Amino acid sequence: MRAAASSVSVILAFQCLISFAAPEAFGAGEAAVPRIVEEEGGRAIVLPPAMQKALDKAVPGFKTYRDADFAPTLRGAYHFSGRHSPWGVIGDFNGDSVKDVVLHGYNSEHSIRLALMSSGATFKVVEIGRGLKTPPADEKHNFGGEPETGFLSYMEFLPAGTTFQMPWEEEAFVLKHDGFLDGVFRQASGVLYYEDGEFKQVTLSD
């Protein structure tokens, strides 16, 4: 890892070298950009009106998962920031200098991962994946002999320029725009990045 690179937390160990570019800091008072804020009961996403309107139109009734929906052991190891929480990531995924958002949430029937992407002066919803909705209480685990419940999946922001050198690849993979780490605690992980109108994945471990 380059000594000059800024550190970004990665909670799942995988067998590759990662060099991080310095992430852009949010400016004070940026009301027109999405924000992760502290609220009673955990963190929440605050979307600009145009982004919220696009979400409501595309996926009526969509709600984002909250911190408490994730396993306590995961939350204890996770580095929370203004850029990411296990259920969401803020970044410029298409390189147009407008902040986009990836959210993990649900509607009445499904668990859904989606992105709110800038598209000119508006926003569009890009669905990344969905499955049947499972209550967090039904996700049961045992870490160190202590039973607990909650999701083990998480996401973490990765800035443009982050470099991955996998031992099984001759050439390093470099993020052209912002991306995010998509992982399952102590299990698999990968990097998702936006290209040609969709999110693509590079596998880091399994």
Side-chain angles (χ1 to χ4, degrees):
M1 188 175 293
R2 296 182 304 221
S6 295
S7 175
V8 177
S9 171
V10 177
I11 66 174
L12 181 65
F14 39 77
Q15 298 300 312
C16 71
L17 297 177
I18 307 177
S19 299
F20 295 102
E24 173 194 355
F26 284 130
E30 292 186 11
V33 300
R35 294 172 293 132
I36 294 176
V37 299
E38 296 277 355
E39 289 188 352
E40 184 177 354
R43 295 159 186 80
I45 189 76
V46 177
L47 299 176
M51 192 175 275
Q52 185 67 56
K53 182 178 179 180
L55 176 60
D56 292 342
K57 181 178 180 180
V59 191
F62 179 86
K63 295 182 180 180
T64 305
Y65 287 114
R66 304 299 296 269
D67 295 348
D69 294 323
F70 295 81
T73 298
L74 166 63
R75 285 184 274 132
Y78 189 85
H79 174 66
F80 292 89
S81 79
R83 283 284 193 181
H84 57 229
S85 209
W87 43 261
V89 182
I90 299 172
D92 179 13
F93 303 120
N94 56 7
D96 64 355
S97 300
V98 178
K99 295 294 184 293
D100 310 301
V101 178
V102 173
L103 297 173
H104 185 195
Y106 59 95
N107 60 12
S108 60
E109 296 181 352
H110 295 98
S111 175
I112 304 169
R113 187 101 65 93
L114 56 80
L116 288 156
M117 304 292 296
S118 56
S119 179
T122 61
F123 293 92
K124 64 180 180 180
V125 173
V126 177
E127 187 169 309
I128 300 173
R130 70 167 59 201
L132 292 178
K133 183 171 68 174
T134 302
D138 289 352
E139 297 287 327
K140 302 182 186 298
H141 320 286
N142 191 307
F143 294 105
E146 294 294 329
E148 57 184 73
T149 62
F151 300 127
L152 295 180
S153 61
Y154 66 91
M155 298 182 283
E156 291 192 13
F157 171 75
L158 295 171
T162 301
T163 301
F164 301 87
Q165 182 62 67
M166 279 73 78
W168 56 87
E169 295 287 350
E170 291 187 4
E171 295 187 6
F173 174 77
V174 182
L175 283 176
K176 183 178 179 181
H177 308 304
D178 294 342
F180 64 94
L181 186 70
D182 177 33
V184 178
F185 186 60
R186 297 182 180 176
Q187 299 180 43
S189 67
V191 172
L192 267 71
Y193 63 99
Y194 190 72
E195 185 178 81
D196 299 328
E198 63 181 358
F199 278 89
K200 300 180 180 180
Q201 183 171 19
V202 173
T203 300
L204 300 181
S205 68
D206 52 31

